[in-house]
Amino acid sequence: MPAPTLLVPADPKAGYLAHKDEIDGAIHRVLDSGWYILGQEVAGFEKEFAAYIGVGNAIGVASGTDALEIALRSCGIGPGDGVITVSHTAVATVAAIELAGAIPILVDIDPCTYTMDPNRLEDTIKQQGAGRLKAIIPVHLYGHPADMAAIMDIAGRHGLSVIEDCAQSHGAAIGDRKTGTWGHLSAFSFYPTKNLGALGDGGAVVTNDPALAERLRQLREYGFRERYVSHLSGMNTRLDELQAAILRVKLQYLRTENARRRQIARIYGASLSGTTLVLPQLHSKVDHVFHLYVVRSAHRDGLKAFLKENSVGTSIHYPVPVHLQPAYRSRAVIGRGGLEHTEQVCREILSLPMYPQMTDEQVQRIGHLIARWDSQKGEAS
Ligand SMILES: *Cc1c(COP(=O)(O)O)cnc(C)c1O
């Protein structure tokens, strides 16, 4: 029997093939229009995405990293200002703070939700003093919302802006409010593997504040208010018409595809609940969108190797916390209490394959493989 083909952790091509005819049609519509930058497709997508999230304004930009940078700049945050975020995140979150000229201050996570621990946040604000601190960037990592009620309460008491990093949480919600509606502004990425993914780079900032929206529109194109006249020193970060047209197709399926991700998570949960693995936590008030399905094991590296031998590809999000990475470790500013949970979790996490086009059989096969490994590993070691 031939070896089963390798199951990949994420499959953006499957996301394209699932809607190929509609996407091809959208691409040709743009090619034939003769208008490729900031036209009807971007305007249409911005309107539809804002309506989906439940906010007043969406501004399309070139990537999620740019979305974070421009969001910071629109709040007037720049050199010397402090911005608090987590170290257990994509390096992009921290890179964007430095791109805006500001100083990242990193706090620990809650090891159950893998998101910013509000107690650490409060301690760190007290320790730093109000003066140089300007903003907080909570990250809804893996598709699980951060504790926004607590974070907004702390931010309000200390006069800080909140920018949500929603790069992994398109459609996730707390109660009936989606992520992206809690902070003053929120940044999304449409990198191909995200829950809402383009076929190239893309991003957006959303906000209910019309004045901020106006600044963002100017900042994304050289600070233009009218053409060729800069009123702010801006940047060039535009979502292009092709990606916007593709995103308009995929946005129509986001709700169904997020539901499918939750179904896959339930199948994993059913096969893995009796094992020694730590599974993703589900809280009743939270709508998790499972950008990633992340388990924890003290024998993570052994499990990863075992799955690879059995044609199941996995990844680690993320293997090295930002404050320990070569580019950042010499100047990382660590919040009070250190980053104990962050460092512990990085040694144990493993992202199993997760994308809407997986079949039930594929998910069950992986679940059973892991359960078998788990029951035998005591004898092997
Ligand atoms: C993907 C990602 C980003 C960056 O998005 P790009 O579009 O790749 O620039 C930022 N933050 C988080 C948490 C991400 O997962």
Side-chain angles (χ1 to χ4, degrees):
M1 211 169 69
T5 49
L6 186 76
L7 245 164
V8 289
D11 192 353
K13 185 174 177 186
Y16 163 57
L17 293 177
H19 314 295
K20 183 180 186 327
D21 290 346
E22 272 185 278
I23 291 173
D24 289 356
I27 289 172
H28 284 284
R29 183 173 75 225
V30 174
L31 296 181
D32 290 339
S33 77
W35 193 275
Y36 306 120
I37 293 286
L38 297 187
Q40 286 181 6
E41 300 292 344
V42 171
F45 173 69
E46 288 177 341
K47 210 163 147 238
E48 290 152 17
F49 189 63
Y52 171 79
I53 297 295
V55 284
N57 310 274
I59 295 93
V61 297
S63 73
T65 309
D66 281 3
L68 287 165
E69 180 189 346
I70 204 173
L72 287 162
R73 291 179 59 163
S74 72
C75 298
I77 292 163
D81 295 334
V83 177
I84 301 182
T85 191
V86 287
S87 187
H88 185 54
T89 182
V91 79
T93 315
V94 179
I97 295 170
E98 291 199 334
L99 283 166
I103 302 158
I105 299 157
L106 305 175
V107 300
D108 211 355
I109 51 163
D110 170 341
C112 295
T113 65
Y114 306 115
T115 63
M116 181 179 280
D117 179 343
N119 295 317
R120 294 297 189 210
L121 171 65
E122 179 111 62
D123 290 348
T124 298
I125 293 170
K126 285 185 186 141
Q127 169 198 38
Q128 295 282 327
R132 55 190 278 229
L133 284 182
K134 290 289 155 55
I136 305 167
I137 304 185
V139 182
H140 307 301
L141 202 71
Y142 307 152
H144 189 295
D147 185 350
M148 290 311 297
I151 292 168
M152 292 312 293
D153 174 60
I154 295 167
R157 280 189 278 111
H158 297 278
L160 301 172
S161 301
V162 175
I163 299 165
E164 295 173 65
D165 183 337
C166 298
Q168 302 191 1
S169 71
H170 316 72
I174 306 164
D176 55 10
R177 273 177 72 186
K178 286 198 172 73
T179 60
T181 65
W182 293 81
H184 302 100
L185 314 89
S186 302
F188 287 84
S189 162
F190 306 123
Y191 184 79
T193 57
K194 309 290 186 185
N195 289 38
L196 178 60
L199 300 175
D201 275 312
V205 185
V206 306
T207 180
N208 274 319
D209 182 332
L212 278 177
E214 183 51 36
R215 283 174 71 80
L216 287 159
R217 287 186 193 287
Q218 293 175 27
L219 282 169
R220 85 170 155 189
E221 199 174 33
Y222 314 118
F224 290 170
R225 195 179 301 162
E226 66 263 40
R227 224 146 195 235
Y228 310 130
V229 183
S230 296
H231 291 259
L232 300 166
S233 50
M235 41 202 278
N236 168 10
T237 176
R238 298 173 294 218
L239 182 64
D240 69 66
E241 288 281 286
L242 276 172
Q243 299 307 332
I246 292 164
L247 287 165
R248 292 179 81 181
V249 173
K250 293 186 103 189
L251 179 59
Q252 298 170 46
Y253 301 99
L254 180 58
R255 206 181 300 267
T256 329
E257 293 185 349
N258 279 342
R260 175 64 187 153
R261 286 173 184 270
R262 279 193 281 273
Q263 218 166 36
I264 291 170
R266 277 195 294 275
I267 301 175
Y268 273 134
S271 356
L272 299 177
S273 60
T275 68
T276 59
L277 299 190
V278 179
L279 305 184
Q281 304 268 325
L282 285 178
H283 297 274
S284 56
K285 279 200 224 132
V286 158
D287 237 346
H288 193 323
V289 290
F290 290 98
H291 171 58
L292 297 168
Y293 190 87
V294 176
V295 297
R296 268 161 63 197
S297 166
H299 309 278
R300 186 264 315 272
D301 294 337
L303 175 58
K304 185 170 174 51
F306 168 82
L307 287 172
K308 192 171 173 209
E309 281 160 27
N310 286 279
S311 305
V312 177
T314 57
S315 15
I316 299 170
H317 300 89
Y318 294 91
V320 184
V322 180
H323 71 285
L324 299 180
Q325 300 204 8
Y328 294 94
R329 63 189 169 213
S330 64
R331 60 181 189 289
V333 182
I334 307 296
R336 177 179 283 186
L339 303 177
E340 181 195 337
H341 294 307
T342 295
E343 292 181 23
Q344 175 74 30
V345 153
C346 285
R347 289 191 284 269
E348 301 181 345
I349 46 177
L350 189 66
S351 308
L352 303 183
M354 168 57 86
Y355 53 92
Q357 293 77 27
M358 289 178 80
T359 64
D360 286 6
E361 292 68 30
Q362 287 174 320
V363 185
Q364 277 155 0
R365 179 177 156 250
I366 298 167
H368 293 150
L369 267 173
I370 297 175
R372 202 181 76 208
W373 169 85
D374 189 69
S375 66
Q376 289 171 354
K377 73 177 185 318
E379 301 153 31
S381 57

